[in-house]
Amino acid sequence: MEEKEIISECIRIFELNNIECAEDQARKLYALTVRMLEVNKTMNLTAIKDEKAVILKHYVDSVTVSPHIPQNSKIIDIGCGAGFPSFPLAIFRSDLQITSLDGTAKRIAYVNETAKHLGLTNLNAISARAEELALTKEYREQFDAVTARAVAALPILCELCLPYVRQNGSFIAMKSKQADDELLASRKCIEICGGGEARKITLNLTSDNGENEERSLIIIKKISETPKNYPRHYSKISKKPL
């Protein structure tokens, strides 16, 4: 697809999903698409290569979390991978201060280079292990919101992510439609790690053929400090979730 066509498709597909996409935002999404698919030839960033599918399944999907993040929030995206939801959030929400975290240094280099390429001054990416960085004073309970998209099962994510959330902030897990069982299995971990009310929001991504893809947002309020011995080492988290 040519530049004008991708820009037009961005605006149209976002409108199908009741999200306004301005032309300058669509231009940045076009530049992101070109760069991501080019780098994807030599680095495993995404299995989705069709431009329309990228717009819906990466960009629109990422922006669905935006209404649940307050203005001027400081957020951290755990396991950002190829930069989702980090890039679309940075494009659509210039008020946010976004830290993108991933354990793979090559992906973090790609995210930082791409942010610079797109002129996104509100996004910075760092390479570290989530369970280790959460134990540092600089990052522990310093964020208004924490996001995680397609990273791990919710019981694991809660122990990794809740330590980053400041009190009265939120952890937002972006999941597929099969989230009820994961939420049920996470109740104990949420309580131990300082979480309070957890609610599930069901969303539908609408494609241009009228078909819907169901998604879920699990939003967990942080009501108290996470005990200092959490998170544990990842091997312990994965082998014996709380």
Side-chain angles (χ1 to χ4, degrees):
M1 293 171 66
E2 299 296 326
E3 178 178 358
K4 288 184 179 179
E5 188 176 2
I6 292 178
I7 291 171
S8 176
E9 285 299 306
C10 278
I11 295 171
R12 187 179 68 82
I13 293 172
F14 270 89
E15 285 182 349
L16 277 175
N17 288 274
N18 300 311
I19 301 171
E20 183 179 353
C21 179
E23 185 172 341
D24 63 323
Q25 294 167 331
R27 288 187 181 281
K28 287 188 177 182
L29 292 175
Y30 161 74
L32 173 59
T33 304
V34 171
R35 175 162 170 78
M36 180 176 68
L37 294 181
E38 180 61 31
V39 175
N40 198 55
K41 294 176 183 178
T42 56
M43 185 187 301
N44 182 25
L45 296 174
T46 178
I48 304 170
K49 299 177 183 178
D50 174 77
E51 289 94 339
K52 286 186 181 181
V54 166
I55 295 167
L56 181 68
K57 296 183 179 183
H58 282 324
Y59 304 161
V60 174
D61 185 42
S62 291
V63 175
T64 59
V65 76
S66 178
H68 308 286
I69 301 176
Q71 284 286 314
N72 302 311
S73 287
K74 180 181 178 183
I75 77 170
I76 186 166
D77 181 19
I78 303 296
C80 68
F84 302 110
S86 293
F87 282 135
L89 281 178
I91 290 169
F92 279 76
R93 295 284 305 274
S94 60
D95 61 294
L96 299 179
Q97 182 183 344
I98 302 171
T99 299
S100 301
L101 175 67
D102 199 275
T104 304
K106 285 185 177 180
R107 286 182 178 175
I108 288 302
Y110 159 78
V111 171
N112 275 324
E113 290 164 5
T114 303
K116 184 176 180 180
H117 176 71
L118 298 175
L120 300 175
T121 58
N122 60 335
L123 190 160
N124 180 60
I126 56 175
S127 177
R129 295 188 63 87
E131 73 273 22
E132 294 175 357
L133 196 68
L135 299 174
T136 66
K137 184 177 180 181
E138 183 180 359
Y139 290 91
R140 189 174 184 85
E141 299 187 329
Q142 295 298 310
F143 297 90
D144 302 294
V146 175
T147 59
R149 177 179 181 262
V151 177
L154 192 60
I156 294 173
L157 282 178
C158 287
E159 185 171 346
L160 289 175
C161 296
L162 280 169
Y164 287 94
V165 187
R166 61 168 49 110
Q167 290 187 52
N168 298 314
S170 297
F171 165 44
I172 309 173
M174 306 175 72
K175 308 294 290 186
S176 68
K177 61 182 180 180
Q178 302 297 335
D180 292 320
D181 290 343
E182 288 191 36
L183 181 55
L184 184 63
S186 303
R187 296 294 185 186
K188 182 180 177 182
C189 180
I190 292 171
E191 182 179 356
I192 290 173
C193 292
E197 178 190 4
R199 58 192 176 104
K200 175 188 171 186
I201 298 175
T202 301
L203 306 166
N204 287 300
L205 303 184
T206 302
S207 65
D208 53 3
N209 63 11
E211 294 182 358
N212 290 330
E213 293 192 23
E214 191 173 305
R215 298 286 192 274
S216 297
L217 298 180
I218 305 296
I219 304 177
I220 301 168
K221 189 82 170 179
K222 183 74 172 287
I223 61 172
S224 61
E225 289 186 9
T226 303
K228 292 185 175 11
N229 50 325
Y230 297 107
R232 299 166 294 163
H233 191 276
Y234 189 79
S235 62
K236 292 183 178 179
I237 299 174
S238 59
K239 288 178 182 177
K240 194 175 181 180
L242 294 173

